[in-house]
Amino acid sequence: MYNAVKYNRTEVLFLNNKHIFIDQAGYLPDMQKLAVLNIQAESFEVINSSGEVCYCGTPVLAGTDSKAGEQVWTADFSQLRSTGRYHLRLPDGERSFSFDIKDNVYDTCLDDVTKAFYYLRCGCGLDEKHAGVFKHGKCHTGKALVWTDNSIALEATGGWHDAGDYGRYVTAGACALAHLLYAYKLYPAVFDRQSLNIPESGGKEPDLLAECRVELNWLMKMQREDGAVYHKLTTKGHAPFIMPEEDTAQLYLLPPSSMATADTAAVLALASGVYSLLDEEYSELLLERALLSYSWLESNPDYLFENQKECTTGGYGEHNDRDNRFWAASELYVITGEEKYHDHLKAFNNDIGDSVAFGYGDMSGLGKLAYLLSGTGSRSLREKYSADFIAAADKLAAECENGAYGCSLNEMSFGWGSNMTVLKNAMVMLLADRFSHTKKYECYAAEQIHYLLGKNPLSISYVSGCGEYSIERPHLRPVYADGIDECIPGMVSGGPNRYLSDPFAKKLIPEGTAPMKCFIDDYDCYSLNEITIYWNSPAVFVLAHFNS
Ligand code: 9MR
Ligand code: ZN
């Protein structure tokens, strides 16, 4: 089914011949500006686009970086604050990729990672006006059969394709929506001025919120009349590398789970609050549906997940639903103010502990975030939750200091979707600043963006189309099947995974490779170079912060 090679792999494996690692989008004028070198040099220069030397410095030895597996030096040019396009140059003539120093330096990247959701829309087709060369026909428009009772066929079109595959999974969708909706809540001005050239652009609401409706409306279709929510909507197995409209295999609705139901209750309640000022009717509908799912949760207090092995698409299994129920209780408490939900939330506190996670596997951080932003509830709980964010941020900041790349991941954490962890850690640090009324962690959060956009030992920007050298061959079916050389922009790659969890990664990357280098920009390597909606969504959040 896989093995999609249509380029020279050997060439690509040896492309990494750079010795200067910088953020290829660039740096904000007043923030720290660091590059990393993996060769010794007496000095470095920063050159502008007219060829003038604008800054001279001396690289400082940072020691052996265990995550990169080599000796590295830091080149600090923070003092250079003038707007411009630059590159670094070493005495031997080697030059880095280009980058900018300016306000709103991540504007284009933010627009691209946000528009990525439009390119992933399902059921509607993408027209030339909005998708350009990436247009394609309507996909996945057939009715879906209930897996456990094929006599029932339901209409559940819409939403976003999850990832490189064409599946649509509820917990993943709710997770991505939560990141996007909280990004809007915290940085509304950034999105109010955004124009993405999507069909709804120029309408009554910001493009981001128009885009979120696509997934919210689909989530409501995944809801049964009794409030339970189907776990996923996919074909029986993954499609081959074909365009979405060519994937006409039968669609199925897989059995409801308590995680999908809780996440739906939570995210619909959150959305109800966000849309309340823009569209009262829609906001009411969202709340009504959130309450419907919540009432199912109340009458079904046990963990429910019935994985069907014969359906081989993504499992998104979890071992417990405490965090999901906690998040739902918190969002419903915030929007309704009813003490009942407060009591439910408190009952989950012990299970949740100190976690401030934001991933589909652990939504605890979202429940705490909802509570903290609302300003309601008990003072002691608010103090506890904000202390959790700050303690987590302290640990992450300490890890950022461990190694020259400023990356918040420890050696063991470079697993499947490591770039999501990098970005999610940046979210935690930005929120810790907010809750502690400091700017202590912002600089560390910025380093996560720098790492993502090229200040890493492979010198690669993990966001397609962002920077001179970015990923071009993600494990994303249309990118392979559309026959177009150019990659769809704004796609966030999963990133290095030391566990080489797919056969192609195992074949292509030598065992013992340093964690940060366990990556190849290859269509086949789904455990390294896939994209997903919930890896793009934290990028939207963090980039919005640095554009605000
Ligand atoms: O993101 C998921 C990752 O955390 C898991 O380790 C991996 C294996 O179970 O699955 C990932 O999710 C995939 C999902 O199952 C199907 N769509 C693509 C997702 C990203 O690879
Ligand atoms: Zn589709």
Side-chain angles (χ1 to χ4, degrees):
M1 180 171 67
Y2 295 121
N3 218 355
V5 190
K6 64 170 178 187
Y7 68 100
N8 188 334
R9 266 179 176 157
T10 333
E11 264 174 29
V12 170
L13 278 170
F14 294 103
L15 227 168
N16 174 35
N17 53 6
K18 286 271 172 195
H19 301 101
I20 316 169
F21 311 115
I22 50 99
D23 180 335
Q24 294 175 44
Y27 302 81
L28 287 164
D30 294 327
M31 289 197 73
Q32 174 170 277
K33 300 170 200 76
L34 302 176
V36 177
L37 314 181
N38 69 353
I39 46 165
Q40 189 162 17
E42 265 167 33
S43 61
F44 71 91
E45 291 173 328
V46 188
I47 319 278
N48 69 12
S49 45
S50 321
E52 293 155 357
V53 177
C54 300
Y55 187 82
C56 262
T58 312
V60 175
L61 179 65
T64 299
D65 188 310
S66 57
K67 305 177 204 177
E70 61 194 359
Q71 210 176 38
V72 288
W73 289 258
T74 302
D76 189 338
F77 53 102
S78 305
Q79 284 173 34
L80 181 58
R81 290 191 165 85
S82 321
T83 297
R85 184 147 182 88
Y86 303 93
H87 63 265
L88 255 68
R89 192 171 66 193
L90 299 184
D92 68 2
E94 179 175 345
R95 55 159 288 173
S96 72
F97 291 121
S98 303
F99 60 90
D100 289 318
I101 295 178
K102 61 176 184 187
D103 291 326
N104 297 324
V105 67
Y106 307 113
D107 254 3
T108 316
C109 188
L110 172 63
D111 285 354
D112 287 353
V113 296
T114 314
K115 181 148 179 185
F117 292 88
Y118 166 72
Y119 288 114
L120 293 169
R121 282 190 196 184
C122 182
C124 55
L126 308 182
D127 58 20
E128 191 161 357
K129 180 164 180 239
H130 306 102
V133 292
F134 306 116
K135 67 179 181 199
H136 69 71
K138 281 191 182 173
C139 57
H140 306 107
T141 49
K143 284 196 172 173
L145 302 182
V146 172
W147 182 267
T148 47
D149 180 357
N150 287 187
S151 70
I152 311 173
L154 300 172
E155 195 276 320
T157 52
W160 302 312
H161 298 139
D162 180 55
D165 66 305
Y166 295 130
R168 281 163 288 156
Y169 309 83
V170 165
T171 56
C175 175
L177 274 172
H179 298 151
L180 297 178
L181 293 170
Y182 276 113
Y184 184 76
K185 274 184 88 134
L186 294 182
Y187 312 106
V190 173
F191 298 103
D192 287 345
R193 61 172 187 254
Q194 204 178 33
S195 181
L196 300 174
N197 183 31
I198 58 174
E200 298 79 6
S201 293
K204 279 190 305 217
E205 57 193 23
D207 285 0
L208 178 76
L209 295 187
E211 192 56 60
C212 285
R213 277 187 194 244
V214 168
E215 188 76 353
L216 289 163
N217 293 343
W218 171 75
L219 274 185
M220 291 192 275
K221 292 185 183 179
M222 293 296 281
Q223 198 177 33
R224 259 183 1 196
E225 270 171 28
D226 65 352
V229 179
Y230 293 105
H231 194 70
K232 65 177 181 179
L233 172 54
T234 73
T235 47
K236 197 171 173 210
H238 287 308
F241 271 51
I242 54 177
M243 289 300 283
E245 64 272 32
E246 289 164 351
D247 179 27
T248 53
Q250 180 61 53
L251 291 164
Y252 294 95
L253 287 155
L254 278 291
S257 69
S258 49
M259 283 82 73
T261 307
D263 288 359
T264 300
V267 83
L268 296 184
L270 163 64
S272 175
V274 173
Y275 288 85
S276 61
L277 295 175
L278 295 153
D279 184 344
E280 211 178 311
E281 214 178 300
Y282 191 55
S283 165
E284 276 167 20
L285 171 70
L286 291 164
L287 182 56
E288 195 184 294
R289 296 300 201 90
L291 292 168
L292 179 66
S293 279
Y294 200 89
S295 67
W296 183 92
L297 292 172
E298 285 180 285
S299 23
N300 295 271
D302 296 332
Y303 163 86
L304 175 71
F305 178 58
E306 295 167 355
N307 191 31
Q308 310 290 314
K309 279 209 187 86
E310 307 77 51
C311 180
T312 56
T313 53
Y316 285 115
E318 294 174 53
H319 300 298
N320 78 73
D321 61 12
R322 306 286 95 181
D323 53 296
N324 314 77
R325 287 177 188 263
F326 170 78
W327 179 32
S330 183
E331 295 287 0
L332 277 155
Y333 172 58
V334 168
I335 189 134
T336 66
E338 279 177 40
E339 217 35 49
K340 170 177 96 172
Y341 302 109
H342 203 196
D343 292 339
H344 293 179
L345 166 144
K346 288 180 197 157
F348 292 120
N349 267 328
N350 275 343
D351 297 314
I352 300 310
D354 298 339
S355 169
V356 289
F358 288 138
Y360 74 87
D362 183 356
M363 303 292 213
S364 307
L366 292 168
K368 292 180 182 176
L369 178 57
Y371 197 90
L372 285 168
L373 291 181
S374 74
T376 54
S378 89
R379 190 169 157 190
S380 65
L381 258 192
R382 280 206 307 277
E383 280 170 2
K384 152 92 176 80
Y385 292 163
S386 75
D388 289 343
F389 274 99
I390 294 161
D394 276 334
K395 277 196 197 133
L396 294 170
E399 188 56 48
C400 294
E401 297 281 357
N402 172 25
Y405 289 95
C407 180
S408 59
L409 264 55
N410 65 38
E411 269 178 68
M412 303 316 282
S413 306
F414 289 87
W416 198 314
S418 63
N419 282 339
M420 160 164 176
T421 319
V422 168
L423 290 164
K424 188 208 75 174
N425 289 347
M427 286 174 71
V428 168
M429 292 192 274
L430 293 172
L431 291 167
D433 265 347
R434 178 174 289 258
F435 300 134
S436 59
H437 310 289
T438 60
K439 283 220 165 210
K440 198 168 148 192
Y441 306 105
E442 189 186 36
C443 173
Y444 295 110
E447 290 303 327
Q448 309 317 298
I449 290 297
H450 298 324
Y451 166 85
L452 184 80
L453 299 181
K455 194 189 138 208
N456 57 59
L458 298 179
S459 202
I460 195 163
S461 162
Y462 287 112
V463 180
S464 60
C466 180
E468 272 185 79
Y469 176 51
S470 61
I471 59 141
E472 288 173 344
R473 290 171 292 273
H475 180 88
L476 171 56
R477 281 166 173 70
V479 171
Y480 181 82
D482 63 10
I484 295 157
D485 281 345
E486 200 189 331
C487 178
I488 304 172
M491 296 293 171
V492 177
S493 165
N497 173 2
R498 67 177 300 172
Y499 305 103
L500 305 175
S501 317
D502 67 69
F504 305 101
K506 278 205 182 77
K507 202 168 99 187
L508 294 170
I509 296 180
E511 222 178 290
T513 300
M516 275 185 184
K517 290 183 175 174
C518 287
F519 180 80
I520 174 173
D521 179 23
D522 185 281
Y523 297 109
D524 279 330
C525 298
Y526 51 86
S527 75
L528 311 175
N529 200 27
E530 189 165 357
I531 68 99
T532 78
I533 50 174
Y534 53 94
W535 298 339
N536 257 76
S537 53
V540 171
F541 185 106
V542 180
L543 289 168
H545 174 88
F546 289 107
N547 270 345
S548 64

